[in-house]
Amino acid sequence: MRADEVRDAIVTAAQAADVDNKASATDVFKYLEPGMRDVAMARDRVFTVDMQQPPSRAHRIFVNDLYQINWDVNVYYTDAPGVQDRIMMDIERLSQKLLALARTTLDLQYIDVTATSVGLTDGQIVANISLLTLYRLTAGA
């Protein structure tokens, strides 16, 4: 597994998360890819996945091929009645999907999910989840 595959697994898991209060049939978690983002125009449940630092060797276990990378998953919301309830329910759903990755992805050894903040930026509310992932480097070594 490579770091980009870890990111892709995070994106896939987030997109598969159920939505409790759908505004429409197309109301799902939508990923905004780096270089293609305009979060100012984003509607609810648009998210980004960004690395906090480049991959590094994980010195937790005595194996040479274990790497770690920290990620920020940011979910953007338009301020509207009920937004706090949507955020709370969404973070619960996302956390469950993301934690399941370590059980369902062979080379993803460990994942820790921490909801870290909710803030206002550019007229939108942003909920942040921080992820620590440990994965086995199986290619490119």
Side-chain angles (χ1 to χ4, degrees):
M1 178 167 248
R2 301 294 298 268
D4 63 323
E5 294 172 299
V6 175
R7 182 205 52 228
D8 294 347
I10 292 167
V11 169
T12 299
Q15 289 176 325
D18 293 326
V19 174
D20 289 296
N21 293 326
K22 284 189 170 195
S24 69
T26 60
D27 188 8
V28 295
F29 288 100
K30 180 170 174 42
Y31 174 60
L32 288 179
E33 189 174 333
M36 303 294 290
R37 303 188 257 207
D38 185 6
V39 295
M41 299 301 292
R43 294 184 176 174
D44 281 3
R45 296 186 179 93
V46 171
F47 70 97
T48 59
V49 178
D50 298 300
M51 65 177 161
Q52 293 178 357
Q53 85 286 325
S56 61
R57 285 196 188 268
H59 300 288
R60 296 171 182 244
I61 304 172
F62 297 109
V63 293
N64 291 349
D65 60 356
L66 196 62
Y67 276 72
Q68 70 182 28
I69 188 167
N70 287 29
W71 305 92
D72 279 326
V73 177
N74 293 301
V75 185
Y76 295 83
Y77 296 88
T78 303
D79 194 6
V83 68
Q84 288 188 351
D85 290 343
R86 285 196 311 279
I87 291 170
M88 289 183 285
M89 288 185 278
D90 286 353
I91 298 304
E92 290 169 346
R93 296 272 191 188
L94 284 171
S95 295
Q96 292 298 312
K97 285 290 187 185
L98 294 169
L99 284 169
L101 283 174
R103 295 188 307 271
T104 60
T105 308
L106 179 63
D107 291 317
L108 188 55
Q109 303 294 305
Y110 174 80
I111 189 164
D112 183 38
V113 179
T114 306
T116 58
S117 66
V118 176
L120 188 63
T121 180
D122 295 328
Q124 292 180 309
I125 297 172
V126 182
N128 174 268
I129 300 172
S130 181
L131 306 177
L132 167 63
T133 57
L134 273 64
Y135 63 96
R136 205 172 132 248
L137 184 66
T138 56

